[in-house]
Every structure is written in structure tokens, then in C-alpha cells.
Amino acid sequence: MKTKVIAIFSLAALIMSSCAFNSPMHRMKKLAKENLEASLDYPKQLKVIAMAEPDSAFGSNYFSKQEIKGMLRVMSVVTKQLMEKTNGMRDFSKLDPYYNALIQRQMSAASEVQNMIFKNVQKGEWSGWKVKIDYECADKNGIKYRAERWVFFDRKGNNVVKSFEIPLP
């Protein structure tokens, strides 16, 4: 009798775990990671630090106030580092390749975030899903860096419609 109960619980656990790996949420996280890997120069060096559960998106330019504050906080830390390293953006002569690459990533992220804020997009209809990934990798020059990537999906969670990233300190 005891072995039957153990067998039933084991079978139930196996079925539940297999369903979890085939769930739409798991699929979106897998697709988000694949999208990230496809954008990297050295995808085999990818180290995922954290990956958020898929969350509802209301347009690819709408973020909650909390999300915007988080992005701006991170960007502020990176900007302060760059300002200190470049003497207020007046001296680029002593920059190493890491900081040169960081400046490029920060400028790209700043442009994306500014567009998002200046558009002042109101929360619209539910448009799909978004997944945030914090990761570490190496760029085309082999320089390690950390970033936060946002990946947006359609309503069914099958297709990536947009992605962008913000450098992490």
C-alpha cells in the first residue's frame, strides 16, 4: 500500500513538473533567453544573473512608475561612474576599453529611455508580455559587462516584438 501511494505521488510530481516546463510562461522565458543569446557576440559566455517571470505589457513603450524609477536609478549609478572616470565628460584620454564600451551602451540606453519618457505613453490595452533578464557576458572585444535586457512578446507569447537593454553597474 505504501509503495502505491509513493508511486502515485511520484507520478503526480512528474506530470506537474513536465507541465511547468511546457507552460507559456516557461516558453517565454526560454524565448527571451534565446533572443538575448542571438544578440550577443559570445553567447557561450552568457551568465544569467536573474530572470523575472513574464509580466503583462501594455505597449512596448509603457512602463510602470516603479519600473521607470528602477531604470533611472541604475542609469544614474552608471552615469556617475562615467562622469568620475572622465572628469565630467571632459577627459576621455585615460579610458580603458571597458569604459569606452560602457559609454556606448549607456548612450544607447539613454536614448531608448528618453524616447520612452518623452512619449509619455499612457497605459493602454494589454498588448502582450515582457520579461526582464539581468545578465553578464563579454562584448566583441572580450570585455565583460553586465546589463538588464527587456524583451517584449505578442499576446500569445510566441514572438518577440521588441527588446532593449540598459547597462548595469
Side-chain angles (χ1 to χ4, degrees):
M1 180 69 171
K2 230 179 188 181
T3 41
K4 283 186 178 181
V5 171
I6 292 172
I8 289 172
F9 280 119
S10 298
L11 183 60
L14 180 65
I15 290 170
M16 289 173 60
S17 66
S18 70
C19 290
F21 288 115
N22 292 324
S23 74
M25 299 298 182
H26 178 75
R27 184 183 66 246
M28 281 186 280
K29 288 172 75 171
K30 183 180 176 205
L31 287 172
K33 185 177 178 196
E34 289 172 358
N35 175 268
L36 170 60
E37 289 171 339
S39 72
L40 299 173
D41 294 306
Y42 297 107
K44 290 184 179 183
Q45 293 185 15
L46 172 64
K47 178 182 175 188
V48 174
I49 299 166
M51 184 181 301
E53 291 297 318
D55 191 15
S56 295
F58 299 91
S60 60
N61 287 320
Y62 172 79
F63 290 90
S64 69
K65 288 182 182 183
Q66 182 181 3
E67 290 169 333
I68 291 172
K69 283 180 184 178
M71 286 182 216
L72 293 175
R73 195 175 317 117
V74 167
M75 292 184 70
S76 174
V77 171
V78 173
T79 298
K80 285 178 185 174
Q81 286 178 345
L82 293 172
M83 294 299 274
E84 288 173 8
K85 190 74 173 173
T86 62
N87 191 23
M89 300 301 258
R90 290 188 295 264
D91 183 10
F92 294 91
S93 64
K94 298 176 186 172
L95 286 183
D96 58 29
Y98 169 80
Y99 280 100
N100 282 326
L102 181 59
I103 287 173
Q104 290 175 344
R105 289 193 308 279
Q106 181 74 349
M107 296 297 276
S108 176
S111 174
E112 186 75 35
V113 172
Q114 284 174 0
N115 283 336
M116 176 183 64
I117 292 171
F118 290 135
K119 284 182 181 176
N120 196 19
V121 174
Q122 298 296 316
K123 185 174 182 178
E125 288 185 30
W126 177 70
S127 60
W129 302 92
K130 61 186 172 190
V131 175
K132 182 179 84 160
I133 306 172
D134 292 350
Y135 71 96
E136 184 177 287
C137 201
D139 67 10
K140 63 184 175 191
N141 298 314
I143 299 167
K144 287 195 182 245
Y145 68 96
R146 295 178 55 208
E148 165 182 294
R149 185 176 186 90
W150 291 80
V151 183
F152 291 84
F153 293 91
D154 62 7
R155 288 178 180 229
K156 292 183 180 180
N158 293 329
N159 300 301
V160 172
V161 295
K162 178 182 177 178
S163 64
F164 73 94
E165 64 183 49
I166 297 172
L168 291 174

